[in-house]
């Protein structure tokens, strides 16, 4: 089978193939039975149908990364080569991760795989992107896995108590009952992994805490994974307060969607400025999801493309 792949003329070939064609040579090393040649901006691939399709899939990912002006390196290609279509590889060790007691999660795309790797290798991880990309669920899954492997002793999940078009005062009950609805998504994720009874037991023991962001002040958290969800609704001072809770042998994960700010004054949101500033620190990593990474109903990504940012 011979296949031709044309690189868009607006992309620099060196950005895709690497300096001295190191990326292209790595791609060739993955498929020793394929003939891969480049003439101008056209790639010619000759060999078996299966290998040709897989090499083309990797090239497509490289072209997408190149269109976003992302630097493509060998580790990126290693990830792209590992992560394949989850629908075809449901039993793959790469596309499935055992979190706790045979509770598995499926990695649906390259950015989800990178996100889990980033959390594992960084002290502080920012997961930025639209709803439905798995930012919160994968953050919780990572925390649960660390807890199940005795790498940490506590999981702390927090959110700013900011309303999306509603007001706390309209809800019935005392302050605790009013705050609970904001924390429901975090409960749901934890309940999936632990079950209701075990989760309640761990909460009673305070091995797991789910609290509003305001309740974090004055604490130092050691041996913990601390997750700040919906961080776009936190101010710079709140995020700074959160970050300075980090103790020994702890990790932090901060998730948010910078297009979904519910603060009365959107300029008060501290997420974008904070993560750009902190990304200069070696122990801090930022993973950005795109609309194409949405793993809910496919129509969700189409809706987000049509609706303008707030």
């Amino acid at each position: 089978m011979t296949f031709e792949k044309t690189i868009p003329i607006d992309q620099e070939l060196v950005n895709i193939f690497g300096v001295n064609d190191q990326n292209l040579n790595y791609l060739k090393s993955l498929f020793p039975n394929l003939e891969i040649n480049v003439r101008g901006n056209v790639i010619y691939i000759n060999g078996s149908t299966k290998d040709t399709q897989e090499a083309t899939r990797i090239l497509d990912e490289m072209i997408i990364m190149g269109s976003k002006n992302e630097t493509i390196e060998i580790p990126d290609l290693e990830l792209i080569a590992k992560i394949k279509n989850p629908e075809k590889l449901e039993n793959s060790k790469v596309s499935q991760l055992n979190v706790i007691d045979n509770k598995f999660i499926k990695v649906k795309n390259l950015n989800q795989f990178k996100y889990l790797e980033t959390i594992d290798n960084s002290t502080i991880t920012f997961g930025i992107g639209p709803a439905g990309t798995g930012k919160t669920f994968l953050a919780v899954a990572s925390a649960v896995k660390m807890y199940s492997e005795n790498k940490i002793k506590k999981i702390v999940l927090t959110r700013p108590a900011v309303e999306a078009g509603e007001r706390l005062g309209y809800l019935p009950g005392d302050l605790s009952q009013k705050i609970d609805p904001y924390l429901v998504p975090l409960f749901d994720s934890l309940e999936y992994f632990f079950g209701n009874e075990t989760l309640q037991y761990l909460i009673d023991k305070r091995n797991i805490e789910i609290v509003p962001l305001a309740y974090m002040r004055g604490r130092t958290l050691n041996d913990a994974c601390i997750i700040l969800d919906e961080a776009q609704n936190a101010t710079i001072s709140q995020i700074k307060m959160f970050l300075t809770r980090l103790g020994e042998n702890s990790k932090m994960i901060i998730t948010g969607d910078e297009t979904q700010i519910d603060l009365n004054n959107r300029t008060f949101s501290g997420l974008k400025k904070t993560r750009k500033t902190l990304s200069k620190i070696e122990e801090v990593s930022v993973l950005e999801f795109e609309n194409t990474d949405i793993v809910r109903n496919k129509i969700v990504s189409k809706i987000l493309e049509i609706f303008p940012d707030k």
Side-chain angles (χ1 to χ4, degrees):
M1 177 180 179
T2 301
F3 185 83
E4 296 181 14
K5 186 74 179 176
T6 302
I7 307 293
I9 58 174
D10 61 343
Q11 292 195 35
E12 294 286 342
L13 294 182
V14 69
N15 290 344
I16 296 173
F17 296 142
V19 177
N20 297 323
D21 289 338
Q22 62 178 6
N23 295 340
L24 179 61
N25 292 331
Y26 179 78
L27 181 65
K28 290 179 178 181
S29 73
L30 292 175
F31 303 97
N33 296 324
L34 287 181
E35 291 182 19
I36 302 177
N37 298 297
V38 180
R39 296 172 193 163
N41 67 325
V42 180
I43 303 171
Y44 297 89
I45 304 174
N46 185 44
S48 70
T49 300
K50 182 179 179 181
D51 282 352
T52 298
Q53 289 176 340
E54 181 58 16
T56 303
R57 180 189 70 82
I58 295 173
L59 275 169
D60 285 338
E61 292 280 1
M62 294 167 69
I63 292 170
I64 290 172
M65 292 177 70
S67 69
K68 299 175 184 176
N69 295 317
E70 296 181 20
T71 300
I72 304 173
E73 298 177 342
I74 298 299
D76 297 311
L77 298 184
E78 291 174 346
L79 284 178
I80 294 171
K82 287 179 182 178
I83 187 73
K84 300 180 181 180
N85 189 336
E87 294 177 359
K88 294 181 181 179
L89 293 175
E90 290 187 354
N91 296 319
S92 166
K93 291 181 180 179
V94 173
S95 63
Q96 287 199 125
L97 179 68
N98 187 9
V99 177
I100 183 173
D101 296 337
N102 291 319
K103 285 279 187 175
F104 289 87
I105 58 172
K106 291 183 180 180
V107 181
K108 301 293 183 67
N109 53 55
L110 181 62
N111 271 341
Q112 286 195 348
F113 192 92
K114 284 184 176 180
Y115 186 46
L116 292 173
E117 293 262 306
T118 301
I119 291 171
D120 193 44
N121 296 323
S122 304
T123 302
I124 299 173
T125 301
F126 285 82
I128 310 297
T133 50
K135 304 184 303 296
T136 301
F137 183 75
L138 292 176
V140 172
S142 296
V144 172
K145 186 170 177 61
M146 283 184 262
Y147 181 82
S148 70
E149 294 173 350
N150 295 314
K151 294 180 179 178
I152 57 172
K153 297 178 181 178
K154 181 188 286 284
I155 299 173
V156 180
L157 299 92
T158 184
R159 273 185 165 191
V162 176
E163 311 85 359
E166 298 289 344
R167 291 292 180 268
L168 279 171
Y170 297 158
L171 300 174
D174 58 21
L175 179 60
S176 175
Q177 292 170 319
K178 289 179 180 182
I179 286 171
D180 280 348
Y182 297 99
L183 307 176
V184 165
L186 303 177
F187 274 105
D188 289 344
S189 297
L190 285 170
E191 197 171 63
Y192 170 78
F193 294 112
F194 289 113
N196 184 269
E197 289 186 10
T198 301
L199 175 58
Q200 192 57 54
Y201 171 75
L202 292 173
I203 290 173
D204 290 342
K205 286 184 63 180
R206 297 192 65 188
N207 287 15
I208 293 178
E209 295 184 40
I210 310 175
V211 296
L213 181 57
Y215 289 24
M216 296 290 289
R217 191 174 299 278
R219 305 183 65 185
T220 299
L221 295 164
N222 300 316
D223 301 304
C225 181
I226 313 120
I227 300 172
L228 170 57
D229 193 35
E230 300 286 353
Q232 75 276 2
N233 290 327
T235 64
I236 291 178
S237 62
Q238 286 177 319
I239 295 178
K240 178 182 177 182
M241 178 273 291
F242 172 79
L243 290 167
T244 52
R245 303 309 96 203
L246 184 67
E248 295 295 325
N249 190 39
S250 290
K251 284 182 181 282
M252 281 185 163
I253 308 169
I254 300 172
T255 69
D257 179 357
E258 292 166 352
T259 69
Q260 297 293 318
I261 300 170
D262 297 313
L263 297 170
N264 290 332
N265 187 334
R266 289 171 55 84
T267 62
F268 289 169
S269 175
L271 179 59
K272 182 179 291 187
K273 184 174 181 179
T274 304
R275 58 104 167 176
K276 284 185 177 180
T277 303
L278 294 180
S279 63
K280 301 172 186 176
I281 300 174
E282 183 180 353
E283 295 84 358
V284 178
S285 299
V286 179
L287 195 291
E288 296 191 40
F289 291 93
E290 307 286 343
N291 285 351
T292 53
D293 295 317
I294 292 172
V295 293
R296 292 179 184 167
N297 192 305
K298 292 181 180 179
I299 196 174
V300 174
S301 59
K302 295 179 181 179
I303 291 170
L304 291 178
E305 292 291 344
I306 292 173
F307 275 96
D309 295 348
K310 285 186 179 180

